[in-house]
């Protein structure tokens, strides 16, 4: 099966003044996310998740390693790989002077897409924003702004969608409707990479789950295998918080299948 995102020995060091020493955010990360997967990437704050996403999307340059999006290297095919990705960021940021429709038309223009009205209407309808099409973005609720971020990420019909904490601060009803739409997109062939602190979302939605801690991969397996004997929350706590205090499994010595690649 073709890889949607393939990462080998990925490192990122934030070094002040261009020096060799600094914060080592990613430490030899290896991942192979298959095309069509709904894949969870979990980790505590500061584990390297956002750094990893920023390297994929382009704002952050890696220090070392190889990254491919659908077979294209992000260094040699930077423009192409950006077109392959749709990214829903954590932070909500819109120009408050534009309407929902204007924001999506501008986003279409960034990808050279003209006359995209039909696709815009389809996305707005699926995300429950149809009635807000001509509403100024500053008048939207927090949940509606989250949905608008998803609409922006989907406007150019990417093949890989990255969701970085997409349901933070969203009520239960809205969260369920968003995930229903995401599951539909995944069933239609869209590869989805999800980061979330709502571990039940990963359990319910994702076929495989990876956990990173201190920039290292500490678990990778089918979600059903990771949760066979314990809840995902228990596994997560043992590999991250308890390992830091020495009261649980240490990430350097006894990770759960860190290099195990699930079949199918």
């Amino acid at each position: 099966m073709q890889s949607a995102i393939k990462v080998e020995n990925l490192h990122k060091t934030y070094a002040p003044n261009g020096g060799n020493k600094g914060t080592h955010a990613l430490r030899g990360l290896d991942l192979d996310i298959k095309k069509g997967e709904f894949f969870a990437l979990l980790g505590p704050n500061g584990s390297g998740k956002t750094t990893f996403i920023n390297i994929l999307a382009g704002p952050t340059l890696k220090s070392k390693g190889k990254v491919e999006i659908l077979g294209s290297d992000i260094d040699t095919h930077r423009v192409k790989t950006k077109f392959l990705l749709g990214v829903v960021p954590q932070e909500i940021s819109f120009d408050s002077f534009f309407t929902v429709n204007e924001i999506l038309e501008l986003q279409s223009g960034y990808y050279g897409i003209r006359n995209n009205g039909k696709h815009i209407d389809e996305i707005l309808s699926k995300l429950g924003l149809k009635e807000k099409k001509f509403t100024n973005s500053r008048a939207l609720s927090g949940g509606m702004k989250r949905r608008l971020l998803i609409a922006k990420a989907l406007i150019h019909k990417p093949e890989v969608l990255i969701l970085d904490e997409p349901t933070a601060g969203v009520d239960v009803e809205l969260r369920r409707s968003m995930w229903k739409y995401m599951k539909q997109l995944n069933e239609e062939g869209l590869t989805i990479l999800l980061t979330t602190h709502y571990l039940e979302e990963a359990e319910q939605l994702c076929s495989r789950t990876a956990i990173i801690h201190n920039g290292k991969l500490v678990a990778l397996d089918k979600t059903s295998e990771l949760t066979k004997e314990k809840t995902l929350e228990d596994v997560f706590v043992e590999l991250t918080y308890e390992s830091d205090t020495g009261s649980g499994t240490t990430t350097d010595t006894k990770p759960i299948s860190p290099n195990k690649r699930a079949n199918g």
Side-chain angles (χ1 to χ4, degrees), residues 25-39:
L26 293 174
R27 306 167 181 242
L29 187 64
D30 291 304
L31 276 179
D32 191 352
I33 301 171
K34 299 301 183 182
K35 185 176 181 181
E37 275 198 287
F38 206 137
F39 190 95

Side-chain angles (χ1 to χ4, degrees), residues 221-238:
D221 208 338
K222 288 182 178 179
T223 308
S224 58
E225 289 295 319
L226 287 174
T227 58
K228 183 177 289 185
E229 298 179 357
K230 301 178 181 179
T231 66
L232 189 57
E233 180 176 341
D234 288 336
V235 174
F236 182 84
V237 169
E238 285 185 9

Side-chain angles (χ1 to χ4, degrees), residues 128-139:
L129 289 172
K130 188 175 182 180
E131 295 182 357
K132 302 295 183 180
K133 181 176 180 179
F134 299 108
T135 299
N136 196 288
S137 64
R138 66 174 174 268

